[in-house]
Amino acid sequence: MSTPAAAEPSPFLLPPAPEALEVERERVRLRPFVEADLEAMAVYRGDAEVCRFLPFEPQSPDDIRRRIGHLFGRTSLHGENAGVVLVIEGVSDAEVIGDLVLFHVDTAAGSAEIGWVVSPAASGRGLATEAVRALIDTAFSVYGLRRLVARIDAENTRSAALAERLGMRREAHLVENEWFKGRWSDELDYAVLAREWRLDDAGGDAGE
């Protein structure tokens, strides 16, 4: 009886993390979130409508600290339960208008999940699109990842439209795959590869 061949190891190696991180675009700046950001984050994360499609109820500063406080100032994707949370600041006024996350890292596959939470006060000006584009740029060029995924509730049409504006590919529509906030929810899975992003670098900032 033959012995099964050992699985070939992945050729992907996660590069060293940056010691510091600040990403600036025309209107937004991304930087690691710190404790001083909690009050500003709680303004929009405390909004029930903002949290409608998010995996938590409206949050206070203490709720945010308990949930993601272990990621204060973090810039590394190495280690167990690794992740990076970046706040979105307006370049003109340094006001915190949202936050982004890079998490669920698979170091063998070179993949990670991205997510975003943006204040309604920032909607309609293309700021969310600009910020998420900057996150994708950073995930590929700074962190050296090769694949990103966004998992979006099918009823969250604004986030799905944002992913499509950025050129992410819709790879799956999971029907009633999860009991979520009192209903069986559908999930849309979007993805993009680093080689696709370099070739395409998805278009304009119109809309959300």
Side-chain angles (χ1 to χ4, degrees):
M1 184 173 181
S2 61
T3 303
E8 183 179 354
S10 164
F12 180 81
L13 292 175
L14 189 66
E19 293 184 5
L21 181 65
E22 184 174 293
V23 180
E24 187 166 315
R25 294 295 186 263
E26 181 181 357
R27 296 175 297 163
V28 300
R29 179 186 303 111
L30 313 184
R31 60 165 176 79
F33 99 115
V34 295
E35 188 158 4
D37 296 317
L38 291 175
E39 293 289 343
M41 292 171 71
V43 172
Y44 57 87
R45 280 177 168 249
D47 185 322
E49 185 58 28
V50 170
C51 295
R52 179 180 173 192
F53 300 114
L54 298 176
F56 48 78
E57 298 301 326
Q59 294 181 313
S60 67
D62 285 342
D63 293 330
I64 299 170
R65 182 187 292 107
R66 281 192 292 269
R67 186 177 180 89
I68 55 175
H70 63 289
L71 299 176
F72 282 146
R74 186 181 177 96
T75 60
S76 176
L77 295 177
H78 293 269
E80 190 175 357
N81 298 320
V84 171
V85 178
L86 304 174
V87 294
I88 309 167
E89 288 184 332
V91 167
S92 61
D93 56 12
E95 180 181 357
V96 175
I97 58 171
D99 58 88
L100 308 165
V101 63
L102 187 60
F103 67 136
H104 291 166
V105 182
D106 183 334
T107 55
S111 69
E113 186 173 340
I114 60 172
W116 52 85
V117 188
V118 180
S119 169
S123 67
R125 292 179 282 159
L127 297 174
T129 307
E130 187 175 332
V132 178
R133 177 179 289 113
L135 175 68
I136 296 174
D137 286 343
T138 302
F140 289 144
S141 65
V142 176
Y143 288 100
L145 293 167
R146 54 172 295 276
R147 175 179 164 85
L148 297 175
V149 177
R151 305 184 194 282
I152 299 170
D153 190 297
E155 292 187 15
N156 189 352
T157 55
R158 297 181 75 168
S159 278
L162 191 159
E164 291 176 4
R165 275 198 301 279
L166 289 170
M168 299 186 78
R169 173 182 52 258
R170 190 163 109 177
E171 293 190 333
H173 182 158
L174 308 180
V175 179
E176 294 189 7
N177 69 307
E178 183 179 11
W179 180 256
F180 181 73
K181 296 190 174 181
R183 62 187 172 86
W184 290 110
S185 67
D186 287 15
E187 176 185 302
L188 303 179
D189 291 353
Y190 287 88
V192 63
L193 297 171
R195 60 179 172 79
E196 296 170 326
W197 188 255
R198 284 194 294 269
L199 289 171
D200 191 43
D201 198 20
D205 278 332
E208 180 66 22

